[in-house]
Amino acid sequence: MDFTFFLIQALNGVQYGLLLFLIASGLTLIFGIMHVINLAHGAFYMVGAYLVWSLTGVFDSFVVAILAGIVCAAALGWVIERFLVIHLYNRDHLDQVLLTYGLILVLNEVQRMMFGSDVHGVAVPSMVAASIPLTDTLSYPVYRLVLAGVCLALAFAMYWIIQRTRLGMWIRAGAANREMTASLGIDIRRLNALVFAAGTALAAFAGMIAAPLSSVYPGMGDNVIIISFVVVVIGGIGSVKGAFLGALAIGLTDTFGRVLLPEMSSVMVYALMAAVLLWKPNGLFARA
Amino acid sequence: MTPAAPLTASTAWQAPSRFALLLLALAAVLAFYPLYGEALFPGQHDYFLQKLTAIMILAMLAMSLDLLVGIGGMVSLGHAAFFGLGGYALALFGPEYEAANLWTTLPMTLGAVGLAALVIGALSIRTGGIYFIMITLAFGQMFYYVFNDADFAGGSDGTYIYVRPAVEVFGLKLVDLGDAVTFFYVVFAAMMGTYVFLRVLLASPFGKVLRGIGINPQRVRGVGYNPDAYKLVAFVIGAMLAGLAGYLSAAQFGFVNPSMMSWHHSGTVLVMVILGGLGTLHGAILGAFALEILHAVIEARTEHWLLVLGGLIIVMVLTLPKGIAGLLERLTSPRANRARTGHEDRGES
Amino acid sequence: MKTVAKADIRRMQHASKATPPAAEPVMRVEGLTKSFGGLTAVARVDLIVNAGEAHAVIGPNGAGKSTLVNLLTGHLKPSAGRILFGGRDIAGLPAHKVARLGIGRSYQKTNVFAPLTVWENVWLTGQTALPHAMRFLRPAHTHKAVRERVEEALELVGLTDRAHTPAAAMSHGEQRQLELAMVLATKPRFLALDEPMAGMGPEESEKVVDLLLELRKTYPVLLVEHDMDAVFSIAHTLTVMVNGRVLESGPVEQVRESKAVQDAYLGDGDEDY
């Protein structure tokens, strides 16, 4: 394997990992703060992809479609939190699993009713449709680099919000201790709604920016949710830092696994998870 | 066998209730179906016979999951993987164009499934709670992808089992599994056998400890039992029963494919268990029948069954925490509003 | 609760273990420490419980009393220190192993199996008469040794009539009694009781005090309690904890007289803490 090939695979792995991080971070925060396991988080990824596909038809601009899509997704998350998830805060995990599973079925079926079962493509925006030539035969698409850059910027923004802002202080307090949050005078209802809406928007955003690469198809959220769970388990539930490292590890493992050990590729990420669990049963950055 | 066996502690010492009699009547209606089915549903009898057999197999799967979720408090989202493994084991252990020998393939199947469950259980039980849910989901899906990509097992198309397993002693055919009515009764016996086995298990010292773990594992540890060990044993037993169901299912349809293992299948079976009433065993049977019959009825009218199912699940979680078994029991029980038991008492762990 | 017959308690006692002569340490705790992150909940605690002795641990809320019980029973892993019980260091052993060594505990917050009946609750703990419960086919209720334990324990705390009531349907005081029956049914060699009277009315408390007065004759007891009257009537020896440390430890009268304790804690009589 020559260096260029390795570089391309490494970039693909990192880019896939960063995309996973957008989904897994929301998942891990929703668990960390609300103690809710949300199986429907992958469905939000699918919702994002379909949003951007239909909105590019309306606005004729990928960027505008994304901005409008984020607003729609956040609103959807807000509504779902208000009317469904809010009933889950004092329920056990089984009820959470069931209700959010029901939500997946509903969202999947609504998607099928509205958009059918066809696979749709979303064009890469022309501004970044070029490729950077690496050798005579190999080149790297600019869009993938842009995607990785945007994800990285979002990761830094999230880090900044959580570590440096008042909202971040609430989030950290909420993740550490629910009673303390209440005693600090934090409006936990608003915090919950905000985090859930933000998590939904993040997952949907991941679906939107992935759409030009992966195309848009029914059930696309189902695969993503399982891999995101693997990321969260590896990173430690509730840890955003863990989700970041776990996502990169999974992205690279999956990408290189497909290239180096194609016949074993479907098992690689799970083998990684099993290895981490043997070593650290609560994931890399579990809270005590 | 009486389904009157303790539903919850509070009924353990009472005479069979009206509810138990209702269950017995339902079991009889099912058992005699091959006798009256032809007269009642001419033209559809064969289809119904096959459908009922399939539902009984699902009921076995649901009971095996109830042991984990309803009794041991282990919410597994990868249970269908063991069902699928059981099916694939029959396909792969048996010869391709001849009948597989039940006496060799069934023990091999159960052994293989048990081994897989031992490994997955050991990795997932240590942490418990939400980790358990995610890890079982992930490993279940791993099996799905493995068989989806496996050329030796037909990949995503799956593989065929051309002849049903033979049940022979010294070359003498004991029962002919190829006959639909015989197969119906074999499955009926397997389902009832599973039920009785689990009842016996729950009445044993092991069962007592497992039920305690489902309610409060830390308290059980404080008494002097290591909950992880008991959970692991229950996990393996549940998986092997699921493997048995998968074996029968593969034998019935002569066909296995990866969707047997998919997490949507695990999810559907979980819904059956909840619908019928968690931790009651007979609820798992009721739930399997209710959900499958509903499925057949709705599917005849609209193609959006999954939308109905999703809505049903959401409504059920919000309004019916004890499932239809809880509802039926309330309706048939003279004592209204008995103390709610089971799952809302289980804390987060 | 009916008056407890001494004979009942004798029978409850571990058959092979006669009460050792007085003043022989059953449990010796040395330098026990537990830190949670930066916070030290229990700091270098030394403690001795002798055979035939009831030892009370008192202190204001947050003094580390419950943490201490959790450490002694394996529910928490100590950061440092030793717990010598029956001649071996049990510090760091998991809770189920500690329980099997004969340290029976009750919990500060009622910790019963709410959906199960009283009988089933006690059965679960009495089943430790069997070396393990990996027994799958024989019905549990045919194990006679367990049945006897359960019946004795229920009789001892006076819940025999309530055997088939779901725990969830009982009053708080009855649940506390059940909690004690659950400990006794394990036939412990040592009792660690974390506020057995928490949340009880005066009458119920009195019954429990009577029961404990009987129990202390046969079991070494470590008692964490807030009710000072109860402590002074039950305990032979006393440890006062403040901020995770032992302020004073010794015979009740001596500790009571201690200047440090009077200043820091007991003040002028029964303050509310």
Side-chain angles (χ1 to χ4, degrees):
Chain A
M1 184 165 66
D2 64 50
F3 177 74
T4 321
F5 184 70
F6 176 84
L7 180 75
I8 289 175
Q9 296 308 327
L11 281 172
N12 283 346
V14 168
Q15 167 248 310
Y16 178 43
L18 287 168
L19 204 58
L20 281 179
F21 169 71
L22 295 190
I23 305 156
S25 58
L27 202 58
T28 210
L29 274 178
I30 287 171
F31 181 75
I33 292 169
M34 310 176 193
H35 299 271
V36 168
I37 172 169
N38 179 21
L39 294 186
H41 210 68
F44 299 150
Y45 174 84
M46 175 199 73
V47 167
Y50 275 94
L51 272 174
V52 85
W53 176 71
S54 43
L55 289 174
T56 39
V58 177
F59 293 113
D60 210 31
S61 153
F62 189 65
V63 176
V64 177
I66 280 186
L67 292 176
I70 289 176
V71 174
C72 295
L76 175 73
W78 187 279
V79 168
I80 288 176
E81 198 276 340
R82 277 286 92 137
F83 289 97
L84 294 176
V85 178
I86 200 164
H87 298 290
L88 294 177
Y89 295 139
N90 294 315
R91 298 288 200 92
D92 62 21
H93 294 319
L94 179 58
D95 285 345
Q96 300 172 353
V97 162
L98 280 170
L99 192 137
T100 54
Y101 179 66
L103 195 56
I104 292 180
L105 296 182
V106 170
L107 287 172
N108 277 351
E109 204 54 35
V110 167
Q111 171 272 316
R112 234 182 301 263
M113 289 163 85
M114 287 174 69
F115 302 104
S117 302
D118 296 338
V119 176
H120 299 287
V122 173
V124 174
S126 54
M127 212 169 23
V128 289
S131 281
I132 302 167
L134 294 173
T135 63
D136 295 340
T137 50
L138 293 171
S139 61
Y140 201 76
V142 175
Y143 181 72
R144 280 178 178 269
L145 292 176
V146 172
L147 187 153
V150 170
C151 290
L152 210 54
L154 266 173
F156 277 115
M158 210 186 300
Y159 175 82
W160 183 79
I161 288 173
I162 291 176
Q163 295 299 328
R164 295 289 149 81
T165 67
R166 197 175 166 74
L167 172 66
M169 192 194 75
W170 288 8
I171 289 174
R172 278 179 290 141
N177 187 331
R178 274 157 83 76
E179 284 100 68
M180 192 172 83
T181 327
S183 67
L184 284 175
I186 295 169
D187 184 349
I188 192 80
R189 279 170 57 102
R190 251 178 67 201
L191 181 66
N192 285 341
L194 199 66
V195 169
F196 199 88
T200 307
L202 270 173
F205 179 71
M208 293 177 210
I209 57 176
L213 298 175
S214 73
S215 69
V216 180
Y217 56 95
M220 63 188 290
D222 286 6
N223 301 327
V224 150
I225 186 68
I226 310 247
I227 284 296
S228 302
F229 276 149
V230 173
V231 167
V232 170
V233 166
I234 288 178
I237 293 170
S239 163
V240 176
K241 182 165 70 173
F244 185 76
L245 293 176
L248 286 181
I250 289 294
L252 288 168
T253 305
D254 188 66
T255 308
F256 279 102
R258 279 175 205 282
V259 180
L260 300 178
L261 288 165
E263 63 278 11
M264 292 285 291
S265 66
S266 52
V267 186
M268 293 289 283
V269 290
Y270 303 101
L272 179 68
M273 179 178 82
V276 169
L277 287 174
L278 274 176
W279 173 42
K280 290 205 162 184
N282 290 309
L284 298 175
F285 294 95
R287 285 174 292 125
Chain B
M1 197 287 302
T2 50
L7 172 69
T8 65
S10 51
T11 58
W13 41 281
Q14 288 167 345
S17 59
R18 278 199 278 170
F19 181 62
L21 295 177
L22 174 71
L23 287 179
L24 265 179
L26 287 174
V29 169
L30 179 63
F32 293 119
Y33 176 78
L35 304 182
Y36 63 75
E38 187 74 71
L40 223 53
F41 309 105
Q44 282 187 297
H45 174 62
D46 289 346
Y47 168 72
F48 282 173
L49 189 69
Q50 191 198 13
K51 189 77 194 167
L52 286 174
T53 308
I55 296 177
M56 288 192 288
I57 293 173
L58 284 175
M60 289 171 67
L61 177 59
M63 276 190 280
S64 72
L65 184 61
D66 197 20
L67 176 71
L68 306 193
V69 183
I71 311 292
M74 293 179 272
V75 182
S76 170
L77 278 182
H79 204 58
F82 302 119
F83 179 76
L85 271 181
Y88 269 98
L90 170 60
L92 298 175
F93 290 153
E96 200 169 350
Y97 297 110
E98 296 164 51
N101 182 344
L102 181 114
W103 305 124
T104 54
T105 52
L106 187 57
M108 281 164 78
T109 298
L110 297 183
V113 174
L115 194 66
L118 193 66
V119 175
I120 292 174
L123 281 169
S124 53
I125 283 170
R126 283 198 296 173
T127 39
I130 193 166
Y131 276 93
F132 182 82
I133 299 173
M134 293 187 182
I135 295 168
T136 51
L137 176 61
F139 279 126
Q141 205 61 7
M142 177 183 84
F143 280 106
Y144 172 85
Y145 284 124
V146 165
F147 282 93
N148 199 51
D149 296 351
D151 294 333
F152 64 88
S156 58
D157 293 336
T159 186
Y160 289 90
I161 300 144
Y162 294 99
V163 192
R164 283 189 185 166
V167 191
E168 295 173 341
V169 174
F170 302 120
L172 204 80
K173 204 170 219 177
L174 278 188
V175 285
D176 177 16
L177 293 185
D179 176 61
V181 173
T182 308
F183 195 77
F184 174 93
Y185 279 113
V186 166
V187 170
F188 182 79
M191 180 182 81
M192 288 313 209
T194 302
Y195 180 81
V196 171
F197 168 72
L198 288 174
R199 274 277 164 255
V200 168
L201 191 71
L202 290 191
S204 73
F206 174 82
K208 303 282 173 194
V209 172
L210 188 65
R211 198 181 273 283
I213 289 170
I215 301 166
N216 186 346
Q218 284 317 310
R219 186 68 179 88
V220 172
R221 187 187 291 279
V223 177
Y225 304 103
N226 182 2
D228 293 358
Y230 291 85
K231 281 162 111 173
L232 184 57
V233 171
F235 189 77
V236 172
I237 293 175
M240 287 167 77
L241 290 174
L244 173 65
Y247 181 95
L248 290 173
S249 177
Q252 187 191 3
F253 293 108
F255 172 67
V256 287
N257 72 0
S259 74
M260 285 173 87
M261 300 183 158
S262 102
W263 68 289
H264 281 292
H265 197 209
S266 296
T268 309
V269 176
L270 189 61
V271 174
M272 290 173 182
V273 176
I274 311 293
L275 186 65
L278 199 59
T280 61
L281 296 183
H282 53 254
I285 305 179
L286 285 178
F289 275 89
L291 195 69
E292 284 302 298
I293 291 171
L294 186 70
H295 184 177
V297 169
I298 303 256
E299 212 168 37
R301 283 162 181 75
T302 162
E303 57 185 5
H304 300 298
W305 154 244
L306 290 175
L307 186 68
V308 177
L309 178 62
L312 174 81
I313 295 169
I314 293 173
V315 170
M316 186 173 72
V317 173
L318 296 180
T319 61
L320 250 191
K322 281 186 77 185
I324 44 173
L327 193 69
L328 276 180
E329 199 194 336
R330 259 208 309 278
L331 296 178
T332 54
S333 162
R335 296 163 302 143
N337 289 329
R338 355 171 330 142
R340 293 176 81 194
T341 57
H343 77 261
E344 72 267 32
D345 295 301
R346 194 182 315 118
E348 294 184 4
S349 55
Chain C
M1 193 186 309
K2 63 174 194 169
T3 325
V4 180
K6 285 179 194 174
D8 284 342
I9 294 185
R10 293 269 153 68
R11 269 194 288 135
M12 291 303 295
Q13 193 193 9
H14 205 275
S16 61
K17 277 279 161 186
T19 313
E24 182 187 308
V26 176
M27 179 181 279
R28 180 193 290 272
V29 175
E30 294 171 353
L32 197 63
T33 302
K34 177 69 188 179
S35 317
F36 298 102
L39 178 84
T40 304
V42 168
R44 293 187 298 284
V45 164
D46 298 326
L47 199 96
I48 290 175
V49 182
N50 289 313
E53 182 178 287
H55 185 102
V57 178
I58 62 169
N61 281 330
K65 306 184 299 293
S66 278
T67 307
L68 177 68
V69 174
N70 284 333
L71 290 169
L72 297 182
T73 53
H75 285 66
L76 286 173
K77 244 189 160 89
S79 312
R82 301 204 300 164
I83 303 163
L84 297 166
F85 178 74
R88 63 181 282 200
D89 184 6
I90 61 163
L93 280 187
H96 60 273
K97 291 203 170 139
V98 174
R100 289 280 174 174
L101 288 173
I103 299 185
R105 76 164 293 185
S106 72
Y107 295 78
Q108 181 188 4
K109 278 190 192 158
T110 305
N111 203 351
V112 298
F113 299 95
L116 303 185
T117 61
V118 169
W119 178 267
E120 288 175 313
N121 266 279
V122 183
W123 188 278
L124 198 50
T125 66
Q127 213 172 251
T128 49
L130 315 172
H132 59 79
M134 291 292 182
R135 293 155 191 263
F136 303 98
L137 297 180
R138 184 174 151 196
H141 65 83
T142 60
H143 287 278
K144 214 169 151 236
V146 182
R147 172 176 287 268
E148 281 167 6
R149 276 192 181 193
V150 174
E151 282 167 359
E152 283 171 25
L154 284 179
E155 203 171 323
L156 208 54
V157 302
L159 283 178
T160 309
D161 305 343
R162 305 283 275 151
H164 298 295
T165 311
M170 300 209 303
S171 74
H172 175 76
E174 285 176 319
Q175 290 190 1
R176 301 301 296 175
Q177 283 165 244
L178 172 58
E179 179 101 30
L180 280 175
M182 289 168 75
V183 184
L184 294 176
T186 64
K187 297 222 173 185
R189 295 160 58 194
F190 184 95
L191 289 177
L193 306 178
D194 196 355
E195 300 197 29
M197 280 155 260
M200 277 189 172
E203 264 174 56
E204 289 169 326
S205 294
E206 211 168 295
K207 287 179 192 166
V208 174
V209 169
D210 286 344
L211 177 63
L212 292 182
L213 283 174
E214 282 303 314
L215 290 176
R216 71 172 192 177
K217 292 176 187 164
T218 36
Y219 298 100
V221 178
L222 182 120
L223 172 72
V224 170
E225 190 46 67
H226 269 224
D227 181 337
M228 282 306 133
D229 291 337
V231 166
F232 290 136
S233 62
I234 296 166
H236 302 106
T237 52
L238 187 60
T239 290
V240 182
M241 283 180 75
V242 174
N243 292 330
R245 287 165 202 286
V246 172
L247 189 66
E248 195 73 54
S249 188
V252 171
E253 286 313 311
Q254 181 190 319
V255 174
R256 243 181 143 166
E257 304 299 312
S258 150
K259 182 90 176 62
V261 172
Q262 298 225 334
D263 289 351
Y265 180 56
L266 290 176
D268 38 357
D270 288 344
E271 256 176 69
D272 63 85
Y273 21 75

